[in-house]
Structures are given as structure tokens and as C-alpha cells.
Amino acid sequence: MQFGICNLSIVPLRLESSDTSELVSQVIYGDIFKVLEQRKQWSKIRLAFDKYEGWIDNKQYFEITEEQYQVINKQPLMLSSDLVEFVQDENQLLNTIVLGSSLNGLELLNHTFDGIYSDKQNPKTQIISTAFKYLNTPYLWGGKTPFGIDCSGFTQMVYKLNGYKLLRDASQQANQGEALSFIEESEPGDLAFFDNNEGDITHVGIIMKDNYIIHAHGKVRIDRLDHSGIYNSDKRMHTHKLRVIKKII
């Protein structure tokens, strides 16, 4: 089996081995993964952090050994903490990286970094302040960055930056943590999940104080939360139907 590390800022992870295939997620600088299948131009990979799978262009990652993969995978994550930063290569050229990029592979890639990073588990009270860094980020299906993000990519990255692991999709995240019976039992930083008419979990957001929620819908925005779901004051209507509240931390 082969292994790889993302040596570019933001790389698309696609459903199929084609540039026109659906974007299912993104691979961010420093992410490591197993290569499950390799073709002439594409590789099917499984990310180490959340075991998410998809196809990546062979030109957009750097091959590493299993030993190098295991060494990085056992280390506590070091994540860049500014919206946009840069790493410098051996030729003194700058490569941009985004919020939440992993810095554990710097030595392996022969890159240097002189910015702010986080490498510890923060208290739950930090969740909302981290979420605010993504405020007004445009919605992007499969996105995980301040330049475009989806609802579960948003919750995953906010938790990741604070030292906690969430799975990638909202339906997967809904199976984590402890279910709460009422909104009144929740605390800022808890997750609220919402379903469609078929009962499938399709949306997630982060609960704030005073019955507000921050979530990615059109953009990362703040709306009211009640027992029915999310009330959008701009549209003057409920946009999402509440299914369950989960305490992860």
C-alpha cells in the first residue's frame, strides 16, 4: 500500500476519477492519507484524520513511506491558526496555506513555517470564537476552508482546530456524542442536527448562547434556533427542521 501527504494548499477530493466529478471534500495542506488504488492520473485515497475516501489527482500530492505516515499519524496535530498563512520551501518560494492546515509534515516536505499554530485541546468555551473565524464564508458543497465550506466541513474544522475529532458528513457526526432531550439542556459548542422530509440528517450547526446557531447555509451565518428548527429572519421562515442535539464535548 502507498501513502501520501498533501503538499498544496487546497486540493479537491472527488467522487470519481475525473476533474468534472462531484467535489465530496477537500484535502488541505499537510493532510496525510493511504492510497487505496492508483491509476495513471488519479488515486483513490483514505484520509488518516476521518477515514474519508475519494479520488485525488496524482499531480496534487507527495508520496511518502508507510513509516513516515505512521510517525506523523501518531503525533498531536499542529494546525495553522490564521485565516491565511504561508510556508516557505527550500528555494525560498512561498506557498499559501489556509486555516486548519496541518504542520506535522513540514520537515518531510522541507518547508518552514513562522506563523501561529495550535497543538493542544482547548476548552469547549473556545468553540464559538473559532467558529467566528469562518463567519460569512460562502457555502461550497465539499468545502472545508474560509474560501468555501459546507455545513459539516464547518463543524468538523471548528472542532479540529480545538483538538476534537468529528467525522466528515453531518449524518456521520450525528452518530457521535450524547443526545440531549431539549434545547435548554444544551451549551454553546454543542451540535444541532436537522433532517429532511425523508428523515435523513442533511444539516448541522453549532449552538450559541441565547438560542442562536452558527451554521453554513448560503454562507456561514447566525440564525435563531427554536424547538422547530432554524428560523431565518431574512426569509422570515424556518429553513431547517430540528432532529437532535448532540453534546460532543
Side-chain angles (χ1 to χ4, degrees), residues 95-243:
N95 300 284
T96 54
I97 62 173
V98 295
L99 179 63
S101 296
S102 173
L103 306 171
N104 295 78
L106 285 172
E107 184 177 352
L108 185 61
L109 294 169
N110 203 13
H111 289 169
T112 57
F113 175 79
D114 195 29
I116 302 171
Y117 66 89
S118 173
D119 61 353
K120 62 182 185 300
Q121 197 171 76
N122 296 320
K124 188 176 183 177
T125 52
Q126 292 290 106
I127 294 289
I128 300 301
S129 60
T130 303
F132 270 48
K133 291 185 176 184
Y134 290 93
L135 198 60
N136 290 320
T137 295
Y139 181 88
L140 173 66
W141 178 272
K144 291 174 61 176
T145 81
F147 297 101
I149 205 162
D150 64 23
C151 65
S152 54
F154 169 61
T155 52
Q156 185 190 55
M157 290 305 298
V158 169
Y159 268 67
K160 185 177 182 179
L161 281 159
N162 285 283
Y164 303 94
K165 183 176 288 190
L166 285 181
L167 297 175
R168 179 61 180 90
D169 293 337
S171 58
Q172 297 173 321
Q173 294 175 9
N175 292 320
Q176 297 180 248
E178 172 194 353
L180 302 179
S181 301
F182 305 102
I183 293 177
E184 289 77 14
E185 296 179 358
S186 69
E187 300 172 334
D190 291 339
L191 299 181
F193 294 90
F194 307 85
D195 60 11
N196 59 17
N197 293 333
E198 287 73 46
D200 299 321
I201 299 288
T202 57
H203 192 67
V204 59
I206 303 174
I207 293 177
M208 302 170 60
K209 65 179 182 179
D210 300 327
N211 293 332
Y212 284 94
I213 187 169
I214 183 167
H215 64 127
H217 181 60
K219 63 179 181 180
V220 176
R221 56 180 291 131
I222 297 170
D223 286 308
R224 299 289 297 185
L225 178 68
D226 59 31
H227 295 285
S228 297
I230 296 176
Y231 182 80
N232 185 311
S233 58
D234 296 334
K235 296 182 178 181
R236 297 183 180 180
M237 61 180 289
H238 283 88
T239 56
H240 298 83
K241 180 164 61 77
L242 182 63
R243 171 68 171 274

